[in-house]
Amino acid sequence: MNAIRFEVARPLGAGGLRFATEDRACAEEASALAVEVIYTTDAGTRGALATAGALAQGLSAHVRLIFTYAVPYTLPLTEPSVSLPFLQDKLASLTNGISGEASADIYLCREPLPVLEEVLPPSSLVVLGGRKRWWRTKEQQLEKQLKKLGHCVIFAESR
Amino acid sequence: MSNARILVVDDDPQIRRVMRMTLVSHGYMVSDARSGEDALEAVRGEKYDLVLLDINMPGIGGLETCRLIRASSEMPIIVLTVRNTERDKVEALDAGADDYVTKPFGTPELLARIRAALRRAPQLAEGSPEVLSLGEIEINFSARRIRNGVQEIPLTPKEVDLLHYLAANRNSPVPHAKLLQTVWGPDYGNEVEYLRVFINRLRSKIEPDPSKPRYLLTVPRVGYQLLAPPKS
């Protein structure tokens, strides 16, 4: 996989953001099942995280937000045009609203779909947020692609 | 049902606090709301077994709250009020209240009325056994566990509610909307994907081969059905 992974972990009840692989390990150990949320737009992701949070609570699972950032070919993969602390802050603020365990992964890549193919375990439970239109939106296309890969995808429609 | 969930709705924090203490000390799980609006939101988000509702409240008031709760739920509502004229009682009962208690009231009387209302209430899973055997698998609803030989698998509260309801209606198909409204609440009904996720999860726990379910069956375009020994 030609991508770089950064982690943001937010343990239950903590408001802050920190790099904490050991917290992530604890969260994943405590609840083996993960509800995966793939970042689409801010509003869509907020809706998706709310749906994922409710699902995770009922399933004793944890929520994992996956953010894939496509770095243009003109830049090295390690030097995206957006600063990483900014992205981390953004993801931390998005996951702060969830009740329960939540973590976030940032993947710097050239093409998001191959990364998703690789990082999502088989038959994952994925929640996508976005708006539904009569034409197929980017989020709806992603939903179709993920379903094709065998994942169980829930589309959380945002208004 | 000593572990019933009760929602106390009163604008007076003192009364809410006293009610909470009293009810919790008798084994009930208590949440409170300080207005009708808050109560409606609480009822939408959570499942309660009974509502204790004050009539004189700012905002939409107790009677309207009672009407709105009743429009979407069959849970018992006991109205608490200082008004004791016949007209007030008729209004409250017509709005959907199941019982009417006039303030001041004694704790034993209130507790007896709660017990009576809970007895009459349609249970989430009436007729459902505490332990259900499916072949070699034993589901213990009160312990929230599945025993498969020596292996014990825990169930989440939502999984228990879902399985409990299916067990209460075993051997007959339960529609998606009915399952969603009973287990998730009155605002749900179209979220079939939720059911799919939870049923898959349950299948992985109770089915010997989850890809070929023997007990938890999909009834196409209808819902789900639990195949189990008939009720004795």
Side-chain angles (χ1 to χ4, degrees):
Chain A
M1 175 176 56
N2 192 16
I4 298 170
R5 174 185 175 184
F6 294 86
E7 296 182 18
V8 181
R10 186 184 61 81
L12 179 67
L17 156 76
R18 55 196 175 118
F19 288 91
T21 315
E22 61 275 25
D23 283 341
R24 161 187 301 283
C26 290
E28 286 175 2
E29 201 177 292
S31 49
L33 182 71
V35 182
E36 319 274 358
V37 176
I38 295 165
Y39 180 92
T40 48
T41 59
D42 277 4
T45 306
R46 251 181 230 113
L49 283 169
T51 303
L55 275 172
Q57 216 172 9
L59 293 165
S60 281
H62 71 274
V63 176
R64 182 167 73 130
L65 174 59
I66 297 173
F67 183 97
T68 51
Y69 184 79
V71 182
Y73 282 95
T74 48
L75 296 172
L77 202 54
T78 48
E79 289 170 32
S81 47
V82 180
S83 85
L84 271 175
F86 170 77
L87 289 180
Q88 285 156 1
D89 278 351
K90 183 182 170 122
L91 297 195
S93 69
L94 281 170
T95 52
N96 265 345
I98 310 174
S99 55
E101 304 281 359
S103 60
D105 289 339
I106 301 171
Y107 290 93
L108 301 179
C109 57
R110 302 294 186 194
E111 292 281 343
L113 195 61
V115 174
L116 292 177
E117 270 186 60
E118 191 142 334
V119 300
L120 290 173
S123 309
S124 290
L125 170 56
V126 181
V127 184
L128 274 180
R131 296 180 77 168
K132 279 199 169 173
R133 304 282 196 192
W134 65 265
W135 66 90
R136 195 172 285 155
T137 59
K138 211 170 133 187
E139 293 85 31
Q140 285 171 285
Q141 279 175 31
L142 183 58
E143 179 194 12
K144 198 183 171 200
Q145 285 163 331
L146 292 173
K147 276 184 176 167
K148 226 181 213 174
L149 292 172
H151 302 298
C152 171
V153 185
I154 293 178
F155 197 94
E157 201 175 346
S158 58
R159 304 262 166 228
Chain B
M1 183 163 43
S2 62
N3 58 350
R5 296 200 62 186
I6 297 181
L7 177 67
V8 176
V9 190
D10 201 305
D11 57 328
D12 186 341
Q14 191 87 354
I15 292 181
R16 288 203 305 270
R17 195 168 57 84
V18 171
M19 298 274 264
R20 177 184 274 275
M21 280 165 57
T22 309
L23 294 171
V24 167
S25 68
H26 284 83
Y28 295 106
M29 289 183 278
V30 182
S31 300
D32 54 38
R34 59 182 179 176
S35 67
E37 289 88 344
D38 286 356
L40 291 172
E41 199 162 324
V43 168
R44 267 186 222 117
E46 290 283 331
K47 283 190 65 63
Y48 293 97
D49 298 303
L50 186 138
V51 178
L52 289 175
L53 181 66
D54 182 30
I55 287 290
N56 295 321
M57 285 189 298
I60 61 171
L63 280 180
E64 190 54 25
T65 307
C66 185
R67 263 184 219 110
L68 292 169
I69 293 176
R70 181 56 71 231
S72 62
S73 168
E74 289 175 19
M75 81 180 110
I77 302 172
I78 299 179
V79 158
L80 309 172
T81 178
V82 286
R83 300 184 202 165
N84 63 353
T85 65
E86 190 180 24
R87 194 168 150 240
D88 292 324
K89 289 178 187 172
V90 169
E91 264 183 4
L93 294 171
D94 280 349
D98 295 274
D99 203 352
Y100 191 98
V101 181
T102 316
K103 293 177 189 173
F105 49 80
T107 306
E109 184 195 348
L110 179 67
L111 291 170
R113 283 180 188 269
I114 289 172
R115 284 195 298 273
L118 289 172
R119 260 199 315 272
R120 291 193 300 265
Q123 298 298 305
L124 174 71
E126 198 174 347
S128 159
E130 273 309 294
V131 177
L132 180 70
S133 294
L134 302 169
E136 291 175 358
I137 292 156
E138 194 181 85
I139 305 166
N140 189 328
F141 291 105
S142 51
R144 295 180 190 276
R145 288 197 171 273
I146 294 173
R147 182 177 293 213
N148 186 357
V150 287
Q151 194 189 2
E152 287 226 330
I153 308 162
L155 288 168
T156 68
K158 215 44 128 195
E159 288 169 345
V160 170
D161 287 349
L162 190 56
L163 212 44
H164 215 195
Y165 192 72
L166 286 166
N169 299 282
R170 55 189 174 273
N171 302 323
S172 54
V174 183
H176 295 126
K178 183 75 189 157
L179 267 175
L180 282 161
Q181 282 169 1
T182 312
V183 178
W184 274 266
D187 278 0
Y188 290 81
N190 297 321
E191 295 77 359
V192 183
E193 307 89 359
Y194 280 35
L195 277 180
R196 210 172 291 144
V197 169
F198 278 83
I199 293 285
N200 279 342
R201 189 85 179 136
L202 280 173
R203 278 181 181 150
S204 70
K205 292 182 177 181
I206 66 171
E207 295 283 357
D209 180 1
S211 61
K212 290 177 191 152
R214 276 165 51 190
Y215 305 116
L216 203 43
L217 307 181
T218 302
V219 185
R221 295 195 190 90
V222 178
Y224 294 96
Q225 178 177 1
L226 185 72
L227 278 189
K231 297 169 197 175
S232 52

